[in-house]
Amino acid sequence: VSDAELRRLHEGGIRAVRFNFVKHLESVPDPEDVKRMAERIKEMGWHLVVHLDAADITELSSLLLGLPVPFLIDHMARVKASDGINQIAFQTLLELMKQENAWVKICGGERVSSQDAPFHDAIPFAQALIAAASDRVLWGTDFPHPNVRIMPNDGELVNLFGEYTSDQAIQHQILVGNPDRLYFDV
């Protein structure tokens, strides 16, 4: 994409570039391309959204930490609830969240869960991420839910978010304050 196109996108309200590292989707980018794009979007105040599998987070950590822009890890890094809260991938994600340029979306409870709806086994993961960095957490339903094992009910996902935290101030921060800061304070 040309610099002129990036500027046009910026003028239209775009504030991020998403890279998909999920290997089964057959579109894993070259790390050098990611670094080059990060350099190109830095001056516009954009960030990178990173979609990855939990198994790859340790390998990708050094790339992410070396980026000159904030990065947002999608779907709680697609950790597997069945592997428990102490799994290496999730502990690596928590370590990344100690960095001020690291953000995470606590969406995708249906992707993290190894159960059927209402996906309650995803709750401890979202709660731990909120406890680690509530000021850098976002949430969404992930509608229209591509490539899911079970098609979730969006209303149930909204209810699940209420299980992640019942603190109304933190809910407001995650749903309003944090996205406002990440997407509009540029």
Side-chain angles (χ1 to χ4, degrees), residues 60-186:
L60 292 170
S61 290
S62 61
L63 170 66
L64 298 174
L65 291 173
L67 294 173
V69 296
F71 60 90
L72 172 66
I73 297 176
D74 220 349
H75 308 305
M76 297 187 267
R78 297 172 56 107
V79 295
K80 295 177 184 166
S82 60
D83 290 345
I85 200 100
N86 292 317
Q87 65 183 277
I88 292 171
F90 189 67
Q91 292 304 308
T92 301
L93 176 57
L94 289 175
E95 276 299 308
L96 282 173
M97 293 309 298
K98 292 178 180 177
Q99 304 304 311
E100 288 299 315
N101 64 331
W103 293 67
V104 66
K105 283 187 199 170
I106 56 170
C107 62
E110 73 279 7
R111 295 177 188 279
V112 169
S113 179
S114 30
Q115 302 173 351
D116 292 339
F119 316 115
H120 282 156
D121 58 337
I123 294 171
F125 296 89
Q127 289 175 335
L129 290 164
I130 292 168
S134 65
D135 63 326
R136 288 177 279 112
V137 173
L138 303 181
W139 179 84
T141 65
D142 193 33
F143 179 83
H145 313 287
N147 306 308
V148 292
R149 177 179 55 88
I150 299 170
M151 184 55 68
N153 174 304
D154 288 323
E156 290 176 349
L157 295 178
V158 171
N159 292 342
L160 187 62
F161 174 70
E163 298 286 331
Y164 293 166
T165 180
S166 60
D167 183 311
Q168 290 185 347
I170 292 176
Q171 288 177 347
H172 186 269
Q173 180 181 27
I174 292 169
L175 296 173
V176 179
N178 292 347
D180 187 53
R181 246 181 349 108
L182 183 61
Y183 285 93
F184 302 108
D185 281 356
V186 293

